[in-house]
Amino acid sequence: MGGKGSGRPARSDIYLTLDTQIEELWLRLGGLPTPDEAADIWDDIWTAEAHHSTAIEGNTLVIKQVEQLLKEGRAVGGKALKEYNEVKGYADAATWVYREGIQPSSFSPGSIITLHEIRNIHQLVMQPVWDVAPHPDAGGDEGPGSFRRHEIAQFSSGMKPPSWTLIDAEIRGWVDRANKLKARGEQFPEEIAQLHRDFEYIHPFLDGNGRTGRLVLNLLLVRSYYPPAIIYKGDRSKYLKALARADNGDVGALGEFIARAILQNLHQFIVPAVAGPSKIVPLAALANGEASSTTLRVAANRGRLKAHKGPDGQWRSSRKWVDEYLTSRVKR
């Protein structure tokens, strides 16, 4: 996992970078914007997440179809109704997660998450799908929001979820552990990765555990004052391998994966949208089609781009300074 000669920072360095940049988010930008303050930011996030999280499970809608469905209410492309409902259900659940994470309408003091909220997320995710294509093996008491009453076969990774008779005790124990999660701890990424792995191991529902688990992960993140993590469909293999390693007791790869996903979301969606042209932000948040983050880093190292290098080794600049650099580059 990194180290000398690997070309990649060690996990501890990724965690330090994450902690430093979250601290900067709070000091410079005032923390995560509320849904009312920055609706466009959250719309972009849950549109991307609805697409990628359902695609990980096999949904074939492309991002343009997802955007039209969620922003215009139009189902285009001739796909099965179930696929549109998968995306719509996920997006509705993500909207609830982000709004309740930042501006909760009802929140239990001293709790990060409740059992009722987990069941509610699953109900929001799965009800639209269930309305058109209910699980063929489901009993009358196994619908959206209800725990499974079936045994689950061993997965290809070798992991075997617990018997359905143990679900209630297992998930209540999981909630207790989740509510002991401490934000900004040195090993926060690995601690939340362990919680994510354990949720998927418990597999509390007959169907929709992956989608529900990723939304539950993001509710924990947002309530711990971190941006949500989008797991992109192109990273599906890395994600599943990291989960498999966590099943075998090594949660480090999954912790690093989640830390990187949080940072990518921070740079791609949040910082560019809330930082004005003179705000000093990480170079990754200033990259665009004209200049990649690597190009900007090289320019900063050579003194061609006004930038500051922090104690964490990260270069920071502003949109104004990047525009000045790009203009000077054209003139040369």
Side-chain angles (χ1 to χ4, degrees), residues 25-296:
L25 175 70
W26 279 91
L27 292 177
R28 292 185 177 276
L29 309 179
L32 293 175
T34 68
D36 291 333
E37 290 173 331
D40 289 345
I41 300 174
W42 295 113
D43 285 355
D44 288 344
I45 288 174
W46 61 251
T47 296
E49 190 186 353
H51 169 57
H52 289 281
S53 191
T54 55
I56 286 173
E57 306 296 335
N59 190 282
T60 63
L61 268 66
V62 299
I63 187 64
K64 288 295 183 184
Q65 292 170 324
V66 172
E67 289 172 348
Q68 287 181 293
L69 176 64
L70 300 184
K71 294 182 179 180
E72 302 172 22
R74 294 195 298 127
V76 296
K79 303 288 186 178
L81 181 58
K82 177 185 176 183
E83 294 209 68
Y84 295 105
N85 284 15
E86 283 175 348
V87 170
K88 185 64 169 63
Y90 195 97
D92 288 345
T95 302
W96 183 89
V97 163
Y98 300 147
R99 182 167 294 278
E100 287 299 307
I102 295 173
Q103 292 180 316
S105 57
S106 60
F107 190 49
S108 301
S111 296
I112 300 175
I113 193 168
T114 66
L115 185 60
H116 172 75
E117 288 173 329
I118 294 171
R119 297 174 77 134
N120 183 60
I121 290 170
H122 184 260
Q123 194 276 330
L124 289 170
V125 168
M126 295 304 298
Q127 191 64 60
V129 179
W130 216 265
D131 288 343
V132 299
H135 195 289
D137 299 327
D141 53 356
E142 288 180 294
S146 298
F147 296 143
R148 63 178 166 91
R149 298 177 67 83
H150 276 76
E151 300 299 330
I152 303 294
Q154 181 172 300
F155 295 154
S156 59
S157 65
M159 188 267 283
K160 175 75 168 67
S163 170
W164 70 267
T165 59
L166 302 175
I167 293 298
D168 188 71
E170 290 276 358
I171 199 67
R172 289 180 187 277
W174 184 93
V175 169
D176 288 342
R177 294 195 301 278
N179 284 317
K180 293 181 175 68
L181 184 67
K182 298 296 182 184
R184 317 301 281 279
E186 183 178 345
Q187 296 301 314
F188 176 84
E190 290 194 2
E191 290 169 1
I192 203 165
Q194 184 69 60
L195 286 167
H196 181 55
R197 176 270 166 193
D198 290 349
F199 184 91
E200 298 303 336
Y201 160 72
I202 295 169
H203 225 69
F205 305 103
L206 188 59
D207 194 14
N209 291 281
R211 283 163 279 175
T212 302
R214 288 187 287 276
L215 282 165
V216 166
L217 167 68
N218 280 339
L219 183 59
L220 294 177
L221 285 170
V222 172
R223 283 188 172 161
S224 299
Y225 313 112
Y226 290 83
I230 295 176
I231 298 174
Y232 288 85
K233 62 183 180 181
D235 290 331
R236 180 179 186 273
S237 178
K238 290 181 182 178
Y239 168 61
L240 294 179
K241 286 179 180 177
L243 268 176
R245 288 181 63 172
D247 286 336
N248 291 316
D250 178 9
V251 78
L254 187 59
E256 180 179 341
F257 185 95
I258 291 173
R260 291 181 185 279
I262 296 169
L263 283 169
Q264 182 172 349
N265 223 9
L266 178 67
H267 294 156
Q268 183 174 348
F269 293 105
I270 296 175
V271 173
V274 299
S278 296
K279 286 278 189 179
I280 305 298
V281 296
L283 291 185
L286 299 169
N288 55 30
E290 294 183 81
S292 67
S293 57
T294 299
T295 298
L296 296 178

